[in-house]
PDB file of all heavy atoms in Angstrom:
ATOM      1  N   SER B  31     -21.769 -39.748  91.255  1.00 86.00           N
ATOM      2  CA  SER B  31     -21.951 -39.121  92.489  1.00 86.00           C
ATOM      3  C   SER B  31     -23.376 -39.253  93.121  1.00 86.00           C
ATOM      4  O   SER B  31     -23.696 -38.588  94.063  1.00 86.00           O
ATOM      5  CB  SER B  31     -21.564 -37.731  92.466  1.00 86.00           C
ATOM      6  OG  SER B  31     -22.305 -37.043  91.379  1.00 86.00           O
ATOM      7  N   GLY B  32     -24.244 -40.015  92.455  1.00 77.00           N
ATOM      8  CA  GLY B  32     -25.590 -40.103  92.961  1.00 77.00           C
ATOM      9  C   GLY B  32     -25.623 -40.958  94.249  1.00 77.00           C
ATOM     10  O   GLY B  32     -24.849 -41.892  94.463  1.00 77.00           O
ATOM     11  N   THR B  33     -26.583 -40.673  95.155  1.00 69.00           N
ATOM     12  CA  THR B  33     -26.929 -41.518  96.286  1.00 69.00           C
ATOM     13  C   THR B  33     -28.419 -41.583  96.443  1.00 69.00           C
ATOM     14  O   THR B  33     -29.106 -40.744  96.039  1.00 69.00           O
ATOM     15  CB  THR B  33     -26.302 -40.854  97.606  1.00 69.00           C
ATOM     16  OG1 THR B  33     -26.852 -39.555  97.766  1.00 69.00           O
ATOM     17  CG2 THR B  33     -24.831 -40.869  97.617  1.00 69.00           C
ATOM     18  N   PHE B  34     -28.848 -42.626  97.110  1.00 61.00           N
ATOM     19  CA  PHE B  34     -30.311 -42.746  97.295  1.00 61.00           C
ATOM     20  C   PHE B  34     -30.677 -41.868  98.490  1.00 61.00           C
ATOM     21  O   PHE B  34     -31.795 -41.442  98.601  1.00 61.00           O
ATOM     22  CB  PHE B  34     -30.612 -44.230  97.552  1.00 61.00           C
ATOM     23  CG  PHE B  34     -30.569 -45.069  96.354  1.00 61.00           C
ATOM     24  CD1 PHE B  34     -29.276 -45.546  95.886  1.00 61.00           C
ATOM     25  CD2 PHE B  34     -31.639 -45.254  95.524  1.00 61.00           C
ATOM     26  CE1 PHE B  34     -29.215 -46.338  94.741  1.00 61.00           C
ATOM     27  CE2 PHE B  34     -31.504 -46.011  94.381  1.00 61.00           C
ATOM     28  CZ  PHE B  34     -30.306 -46.516  93.922  1.00 61.00           C
ATOM     29  N   VAL B  35     -29.736 -41.687  99.374  1.00 65.00           N
ATOM     30  CA  VAL B  35     -29.952 -40.812 100.540  1.00 65.00           C
ATOM     31  C   VAL B  35     -28.869 -39.784 100.633  1.00 65.00           C
ATOM     32  O   VAL B  35     -27.746 -40.064 100.461  1.00 65.00           O
ATOM     33  CB  VAL B  35     -29.918 -41.742 101.834  1.00 65.00           C
ATOM     34  CG1 VAL B  35     -30.065 -40.895 103.085  1.00 65.00           C
ATOM     35  CG2 VAL B  35     -30.896 -42.915 101.788  1.00 65.00           C
ATOM     36  N   LYS B  36     -29.352 -38.574 100.698  1.00 67.00           N
ATOM     37  CA  LYS B  36     -28.279 -37.481 100.750  1.00 67.00           C
ATOM     38  C   LYS B  36     -27.500 -37.559 102.029  1.00 67.00           C
ATOM     39  O   LYS B  36     -27.997 -37.919 103.087  1.00 67.00           O
ATOM     40  CB  LYS B  36     -29.035 -36.115 100.762  1.00 67.00           C
ATOM     41  CG  LYS B  36     -29.587 -35.655  99.425  1.00 67.00           C
ATOM     42  CD  LYS B  36     -28.531 -35.211  98.458  1.00 67.00           C
ATOM     43  CE  LYS B  36     -29.068 -35.106  97.029  1.00 67.00           C
ATOM     44  NZ  LYS B  36     -27.993 -35.004  95.997  1.00 67.00           N
ATOM     45  N   VAL B  37     -26.192 -37.406 101.848  1.00 66.00           N
ATOM     46  CA  VAL B  37     -25.317 -37.544 103.034  1.00 66.00           C
ATOM     47  C   VAL B  37     -24.657 -36.192 103.295  1.00 66.00           C
ATOM     48  O   VAL B  37     -24.540 -35.389 102.303  1.00 66.00           O
ATOM     49  CB  VAL B  37     -24.218 -38.622 102.855  1.00 66.00           C
ATOM     50  CG1 VAL B  37     -24.927 -40.022 102.681  1.00 66.00           C
ATOM     51  CG2 VAL B  37     -23.390 -38.380 101.566  1.00 66.00           C
ATOM     52  N   PRO B  38     -24.154 -35.962 104.582  1.00 66.00           N
ATOM     53  CA  PRO B  38     -23.481 -34.700 104.796  1.00 66.00           C
ATOM     54  C   PRO B  38     -22.298 -34.502 103.915  1.00 66.00           C
ATOM     55  O   PRO B  38     -21.567 -35.500 103.611  1.00 66.00           O
ATOM     56  CB  PRO B  38     -23.045 -34.833 106.266  1.00 66.00           C
ATOM     57  CG  PRO B  38     -23.608 -36.126 106.798  1.00 66.00           C
ATOM     58  CD  PRO B  38     -24.175 -36.922 105.630  1.00 66.00           C
ATOM     59  N   GLY B  39     -22.060 -33.382 103.424  1.00 69.00           N
ATOM     60  CA  GLY B  39     -20.859 -33.076 102.585  1.00 69.00           C
ATOM     61  C   GLY B  39     -21.170 -33.152 101.094  1.00 69.00           C
ATOM     62  O   GLY B  39     -20.262 -32.856 100.318  1.00 69.00           O
ATOM     63  N   GLN B  40     -22.315 -33.617 100.743  1.00 69.00           N
ATOM     64  CA  GLN B  40     -22.665 -33.744  99.343  1.00 69.00           C
ATOM     65  C   GLN B  40     -23.203 -32.426  98.809  1.00 69.00           C
ATOM     66  O   GLN B  40     -24.276 -31.996  99.048  1.00 69.00           O
ATOM     67  CB  GLN B  40     -23.717 -34.807  99.130  1.00 69.00           C
ATOM     68  CG  GLN B  40     -23.736 -35.330  97.719  1.00 69.00           C
ATOM     69  CD  GLN B  40     -24.693 -36.477  97.592  1.00 69.00           C
ATOM     70  OE1 GLN B  40     -25.455 -36.804  98.529  1.00 69.00           O
ATOM     71  NE2 GLN B  40     -24.730 -37.148  96.429  1.00 69.00           N
ATOM     72  N   THR B  41     -22.329 -31.735  98.060  1.00 79.00           N
ATOM     73  CA  THR B  41     -22.599 -30.355  97.668  1.00 79.00           C
ATOM     74  C   THR B  41     -22.842 -30.245  96.138  1.00 79.00           C
ATOM     75  O   THR B  41     -22.508 -31.157  95.433  1.00 79.00           O
ATOM     76  CB  THR B  41     -21.458 -29.413  98.014  1.00 79.00           C
ATOM     77  OG1 THR B  41     -20.298 -29.856  97.276  1.00 79.00           O
ATOM     78  CG2 THR B  41     -21.137 -29.476  99.470  1.00 79.00           C
ATOM     79  N   ALA B  42     -23.379 -29.109  95.721  1.00 82.00           N
ATOM     80  CA  ALA B  42     -23.592 -28.820  94.296  1.00 82.00           C
ATOM     81  C   ALA B  42     -22.237 -28.840  93.554  1.00 82.00           C
ATOM     82  O   ALA B  42     -22.081 -29.288  92.407  1.00 82.00           O
ATOM     83  CB  ALA B  42     -24.282 -27.502  94.111  1.00 82.00           C
ATOM     84  N   GLU B  43     -21.230 -28.299  94.292  1.00 83.00           N
ATOM     85  CA  GLU B  43     -19.913 -28.188  93.676  1.00 83.00           C
ATOM     86  C   GLU B  43     -19.383 -29.596  93.379  1.00 83.00           C
ATOM     87  O   GLU B  43     -18.798 -29.880  92.328  1.00 83.00           O
ATOM     88  CB  GLU B  43     -18.995 -27.459  94.655  1.00 83.00           C
ATOM     89  CG  GLU B  43     -17.582 -27.154  94.101  1.00 83.00           C
ATOM     90  CD  GLU B  43     -16.641 -26.931  95.287  1.00 83.00           C
ATOM     91  OE1 GLU B  43     -17.032 -27.017  96.478  1.00 83.00           O
ATOM     92  OE2 GLU B  43     -15.554 -26.559  95.003  1.00 83.00           O
ATOM     93  N   LEU B  44     -19.520 -30.534  94.328  1.00 81.00           N
ATOM     94  CA  LEU B  44     -19.102 -31.866  94.242  1.00 81.00           C
ATOM     95  C   LEU B  44     -19.824 -32.573  93.014  1.00 81.00           C
ATOM     96  O   LEU B  44     -19.192 -33.218  92.202  1.00 81.00           O
ATOM     97  CB  LEU B  44     -19.408 -32.620  95.505  1.00 81.00           C
ATOM     98  CG  LEU B  44     -19.179 -34.121  95.591  1.00 81.00           C
ATOM     99  CD1 LEU B  44     -19.017 -34.443  97.133  1.00 81.00           C
ATOM    100  CD2 LEU B  44     -20.250 -34.955  95.067  1.00 81.00           C
ATOM    101  N   GLU B  45     -21.145 -32.304  92.911  1.00 81.00           N
ATOM    102  CA  GLU B  45     -21.862 -32.847  91.790  1.00 81.00           C
ATOM    103  C   GLU B  45     -21.379 -32.370  90.479  1.00 81.00           C
ATOM    104  O   GLU B  45     -21.155 -33.203  89.528  1.00 81.00           O
ATOM    105  CB  GLU B  45     -23.401 -32.482  92.000  1.00 81.00           C
ATOM    106  CG  GLU B  45     -24.139 -33.170  93.128  1.00 81.00           C
ATOM    107  CD  GLU B  45     -24.609 -34.519  92.734  1.00 81.00           C
ATOM    108  OE1 GLU B  45     -24.764 -34.755  91.521  1.00 81.00           O
ATOM    109  OE2 GLU B  45     -24.891 -35.296  93.657  1.00 81.00           O
TER     110      GLU B  45
END
Side-chain angles (χ1 to χ4, degrees):
Chain B
S31 54
T33 55
F34 290 82
V35 177
K36 285 284 167 195
V37 295
Q40 197 175 12
T41 62
E43 185 199 6
L44 176 158
E45 289 277 338

